[in-house]
Amino acid sequence: MKKKVFVFFPDGVGLRNFAFTIFKQIGEAKGYDIHYWNNTVFSLKDNLGFNEVKIENHKNHPLTPIYLRARKHIELNISQNKFNDNVYPTYKFPFNYKGLKNTVKTLYIKLLIGLNNSEKGIERIRKKIDSLERSTTKYTYCKAQLLEHKPDLVFCTTQRASQSISALLAAKDLGIPTATFVYSWDNVPKAMQVVETDYYFVWSDLMKNEVLQYYPFVKEEQIFVTGTPQFEPHFDTTLLESREDFFKQYGLDVNKKYICYSGDDETTSPLDQYYLEDLANAVRSLNNKGYNLGIIYRKCPVDFTKRYDAVIEANTDIIEVLDPIWKQVGSIWNEVLPAKEDFKMLYNVCEHSEFVTNVCSSTVFDFVAHKKPCIYYNYEQPQLKKGIRDIGQNYKYVHFRSMPSDNAAIFCTNKNELEGLVQQILDGKLSNVEEGLKWFEIVAGKTPTKASDTIWKTINQII
């Protein structure tokens, strides 16, 4: 009899890794009966024809977000004290005192932090969250679904979603093994672990060590290094289109060399549009010197601002906009979901661009997989003023300490140096690819093409 696995989507962030890659295909080839336990607004049955068990009850306990916020702050406080490192407070979002309701909520969170600001306090908070979620109708609802379908394992596609807590507690209480995948390269140090499962699937030895370092209640035998399916499409050569076909499809000039500008979200880089403007100015200057360059602007999929519009309109002869193929199916960031077609677009943007520039994103790995360099902007804009977050703190975050050297990316530390760096890359005199590939291996593991297969082998081992 086939073993039944519930692949659990508490929100949309896991779709890219576990619905649109070859993950399902590999699992089915290994003989698994795969059902997608779906808490999102995206219908996997209607859109992809997958076996789906839809979760219609989305109600967390109203106090859960408050306790989770307190837990995050306490974990960051503990890390700051344990490691004597002032980077951890920079992961905290400011409290909200606007209006009576927000003020009361903030004061309650601060009271919880004050009363539980220790390892034992964290344990109390964790138990309280579990108690709250077990009392919800969603817990009862999910338990009934599990009793009906009797999966042999529940695999949660992200560790950071509060919507998954009650469902995973229901599985654990029924004796069903649970595992979660750590979703992003920066999540562990910044206290983004919301769920607790029997097993944890991580990208690399680096991430395994981080989980052990930050979460002492997790034992080494619970952690499996699997890699991440996130980068697998970059090694799928069937996605490759010819330069001529790709350029014709998106109205690009086949005679130009293009630089990709990868946009950031507004929190990470609030003045991001001015870095695009700086690149446009550098390109315009180089074109006046005999180069024939353009810019592909690929926005951050969850950025709905108009902040780039003026820069794009002023440089329509240079900047071509290629929006990611994502669909907004809800009102919040994790309800903006990728379409499968975006894999092909991103593959070919990487393949047919000379290099990428951005502020501190993991796009460096997308491009280095195609042996293409990356410039990281690391200077502040003159428009920076009080109340606007500077970008410099991004590079002080713990996940950037994984770089094998400062040459793993090309850092532009002065606006006036940008044109020279662009020119050196184009002339073949400057590259971060060799060091960037070492960094990629540290972060994503040694076998980036085999992550889906390794995850299924690990699931088989657990079952």
Side-chain angles (χ1 to χ4, degrees), residues 30-148:
K30 291 180 182 294
Y32 284 99
D33 179 12
I34 301 168
H35 285 67
Y36 284 85
W37 202 19
N38 188 7
N39 192 72
T40 76
V41 292
F42 179 85
S43 174
L44 292 150
K45 186 174 188 296
D46 293 345
N47 289 285
L48 301 172
F50 292 177
N51 289 332
E52 174 180 63
V53 177
K54 193 83 171 161
I55 298 174
E56 302 290 356
N57 185 325
H58 302 288
K59 292 275 179 76
N60 282 114
H61 194 284
L63 289 177
T64 295
I66 291 170
Y67 276 84
L68 286 173
R69 184 81 186 275
R71 175 182 170 173
K72 181 181 175 74
H73 272 256
I74 297 166
E75 286 182 357
L76 292 170
N77 290 344
I78 289 169
S79 293
Q80 183 182 6
N81 294 330
K82 186 188 286 187
F83 307 119
N84 192 25
D85 193 330
N86 288 325
V87 72
Y88 296 100
T90 65
Y91 290 126
K92 297 176 183 176
F93 287 102
F95 287 111
N96 188 349
Y97 292 95
K98 290 180 181 175
L100 181 61
K101 187 178 177 181
N102 287 323
T103 301
V104 170
K105 190 186 292 185
T106 291
L107 292 174
Y108 187 41
I109 292 168
K110 294 186 99 168
L111 177 64
L112 289 173
I113 294 167
L115 293 173
N116 298 282
N117 201 25
S118 65
E119 296 276 10
K120 285 188 176 179
I122 281 286
E123 194 173 336
R124 285 194 297 271
I125 294 283
R126 284 167 46 213
K127 286 179 178 176
K128 181 64 175 177
I129 292 168
D130 287 355
S131 173
L132 291 170
E133 287 299 298
R134 279 191 174 99
S135 73
T136 62
T137 57
K138 182 172 181 179
Y139 170 83
T140 308
Y141 175 94
C142 290
K143 202 170 190 178
Q145 287 187 323
L146 292 167
L147 283 167
E148 180 186 350

Side-chain angles (χ1 to χ4, degrees), residues 287-328:
N287 284 348
N288 289 336
K289 295 175 182 176
Y291 288 82
N292 189 13
L293 307 172
I295 296 169
I296 291 173
Y297 165 62
R298 180 179 160 92
K299 75 170 189 173
C300 172
V302 295
D303 184 355
F304 305 111
T305 66
K306 301 288 186 184
R307 57 193 175 129
Y308 298 90
D309 290 0
V311 174
I312 293 166
E313 287 164 13
N315 295 280
T316 51
D317 57 325
I318 289 175
I319 300 172
E320 296 289 345
V321 178
L322 269 65
D323 284 338
I325 308 172
W326 287 48
K327 297 171 184 175
Q328 186 170 2

Side-chain angles (χ1 to χ4, degrees), residues 96 164 170 177 200 228 264 268 305 329 336 389:
N96 188 349
S164 60
Y200 300 84
T228 172
D264 250 303
T268 304
T305 66
V329 293
V336 183
R389 182 182 182 278

Side-chain angles (χ1 to χ4, degrees), residues 17 40 47 62 67 167 170 173 192 200 325 340 371 401 405:
N17 285 334
T40 76
N47 289 285
Y67 276 84
D173 291 347
M192 293 298 290
Y200 300 84
I325 308 172
K340 195 169 184 177
K371 310 293 192 295
R401 299 174 188 175
S405 75

Side-chain angles (χ1 to χ4, degrees), residues 185 203 230-231 234 260 262 264 346 350 355-376 395 399-400 402-404 406-411 431-433 435-440 443:
W185 69 312
W203 293 23
Q230 179 172 327
F231 301 108
H234 289 299
C260 178
S262 178
D264 250 303
L346 180 57
C350 295
F355 61 93
V356 68
T357 78
N358 60 57
V359 176
C360 83
S361 89
S362 61
T363 315
V364 61
F365 302 127
D366 294 307
F367 276 78
V368 84
H370 292 260
K371 310 293 192 295
K372 299 295 176 73
C374 170
I375 290 178
Y376 273 151
Y395 299 108
H399 59 288
F400 278 98
S402 60
M403 288 192 297
D406 290 341
N407 298 320
I410 298 163
F411 287 91
S431 177
N432 66 296
V433 169
E435 281 293 286
L437 285 168
K438 292 178 188 174
W439 190 20
F440 183 38
V443 170

Side-chain angles (χ1 to χ4, degrees), residues 233-300:
H234 289 299
F235 302 93
D236 179 3
T237 54
T238 64
L239 297 175
L240 177 64
E241 294 180 277
S242 70
R243 180 181 170 88
E244 291 73 18
D245 288 347
F246 182 69
F247 278 38
K248 183 178 180 181
Q249 184 179 354
Y250 291 104
L252 304 174
D253 184 344
V254 76
N255 296 309
K256 283 185 177 179
K257 289 183 174 181
Y258 283 90
I259 299 161
C260 178
Y261 185 93
S262 178
D264 250 303
D265 63 89
E266 198 170 19
T267 301
T268 304
S269 183
L271 299 173
D272 207 59
Q273 66 272 29
Y274 298 113
Y275 297 100
L276 176 60
E277 185 176 50
D278 292 346
L279 181 62
N281 291 336
V283 163
R284 194 172 297 284
S285 177
L286 287 168
N287 284 348
N288 289 336
K289 295 175 182 176
Y291 288 82
N292 189 13
L293 307 172
I295 296 169
I296 291 173
Y297 165 62
R298 180 179 160 92
K299 75 170 189 173
C300 172

